[in-house]
Amino acid sequence: MHEHHGYIADKTAYLKRLKRIEGQARGLQNMVDDEKYCIDILTQISAMTSALESVALGLLNDHLNHCVVEAVAEGGPVAEQKLKEATDAIARLVRS
């Protein structure tokens, strides 16, 4: 099987995006602490949610194109497991 996860090539970009999201979360805490207007807070929550969804879709794409493709090429139970994991992850993303 592979040594690295599919996202490794983009690890720096993912970390940068996640740190930006972390900053957004701190900003939201400050907004609530400063008693900002509800709609402004909701707008920032929407932006943060979109940013997280973007990271999730990127990771899913990397997983499909790397981990799942390799497993399917090998075949057998590992392929079935990777396909099930991907399907379950997609279902969780759609529900959220």
Side-chain angles (χ1 to χ4, degrees):
M1 204 60 164
H2 60 275
E3 286 184 33
H4 299 290
H5 301 291
Y7 65 86
I8 293 298
D10 295 322
K11 180 180 174 181
T12 302
Y14 281 120
L15 287 172
K16 184 177 179 181
R17 290 160 81 188
L18 289 168
K19 287 178 183 183
R20 192 175 314 130
I21 292 167
E22 181 181 25
Q24 286 178 297
R26 282 192 305 274
L28 282 167
Q29 291 171 0
N30 291 336
M31 289 178 80
V32 171
D33 191 41
D34 295 341
E35 300 178 6
K36 297 293 182 186
Y37 185 54
C38 302
I39 296 302
D40 294 338
I41 296 170
L42 290 169
T43 299
Q44 291 306 310
I45 289 172
S46 178
M48 189 172 157
T49 301
S50 293
L52 280 169
E53 288 173 351
S54 176
V55 170
L57 290 174
L59 286 169
L60 179 61
N61 185 58
D62 289 342
H63 180 68
L64 291 172
N65 287 316
H66 185 266
C67 302
V68 174
V69 166
E70 279 189 12
V72 168
E74 289 183 21
V78 173
E80 292 175 18
Q81 175 194 359
K82 292 292 181 190
L83 287 170
K84 172 132 177 43
E85 287 174 352
T87 301
D88 292 346
I90 291 167
R92 284 190 302 273
L93 286 171
V94 169
R95 283 193 299 265
S96 62

